[in-house]
Amino acid sequence: AKMLAWNAVAPLLRRVLPTRRGRVVGRAAISAIYRIFWACARASGLMRMDARSLDVLSLGERYLRHLNRFVGDNVRGVVAEMAGSTDHLDRALADEAPFGRISFADACALLEGAGTKGVLEPLPNGEVRITASGERLLLEAVGDFTWLTHMPASTVPFYQRTGSDGRTALNADLLAGFGEILGCGERVLTVQETLPNLAAQSVSPEPYGWYCEMKDRHPLATAGFGMGIERYLMWLTQRDDIRTLTLLRRHWGEDFVP
């Protein structure tokens, strides 16, 4: 709290919650993952730090470094047993430089230049997404703990704020191991920003009336991030299948009673 100038910045809210995803279960995806959520009031900066805004990327980096230090100090033996080595953890602990950053556009150009098929997938709206194999190839080029920033605004949730270019979102994913382990971004500030985003993604505003009212009555600059716990554990234990790290099966269409 002292490090983040708690009184100057505003309260930080932490929650550990399950996040349901409509995804086909695979090596890097399950139907519901557990994520650690941080919401930062008046901490809206994605790429800047000043008296009124906190760079949420720096906050995410500090959080990851704290986790790595805790693991190194307390459960190093468990990591060595599960991963076969702690070399990856030791490298992360020794590297004190800020995490690398690459924009989505630059990442796509890098992947296209590699000439490998299946790393970019066209979307119906004309944009593209980086596939799981694309993320792994990108990680080989840029290394663990690299921020992938400024995705196309039309491909992110409506509550992500759009940048001044009107096309890219003020968001970022942190890549390590086998893909994204943490996602963050600035949130829309006003209802005037929220409603066009909902319309652009063909999302009815009715279920989000409370959200729109909140943005109308009390606009507040916020940012936040969510870290996938099992995704982090994939990197930590050097596993290539997230399904080996879940305590209970969480697959759509299945009933599981412990």
Side-chain angles (χ1 to χ4, degrees), residues 17-35:
L17 298 169
T19 301
R20 294 184 177 182
R21 299 294 180 90
R23 292 179 174 175
V24 176
V25 174
R27 298 171 70 85
I30 49 181
S31 297
I33 62 174
Y34 273 87
R35 295 174 72 88

Side-chain angles (χ1 to χ4, degrees), residues 4-5 7-10 41-44 48-55:
L4 297 175
N7 292 328
V9 175
R42 294 191 297 279
S44 64
R48 63 188 184 275
M49 175 87 76
D50 58 37
R52 294 173 299 173
S53 63
L54 174 70
D55 183 341

Side-chain angles (χ1 to χ4, degrees), residues 117-162:
K117 294 182 179 180
V119 295
L120 296 175
E121 178 184 335
L123 299 176
N125 62 6
E127 299 290 353
V128 298
R129 78 173 187 91
I130 299 176
T131 65
S133 59
E135 288 185 341
R136 289 192 291 272
L137 184 61
L138 184 60
L139 277 165
E140 291 177 7
V142 300
D144 279 338
F145 298 109
T146 296
W147 290 106
L148 178 64
T149 71
H150 297 94
M151 283 65 153
S154 61
T155 66
V156 302
F158 72 87
Y159 53 77
Q160 298 281 29
R161 198 172 193 187
T162 302

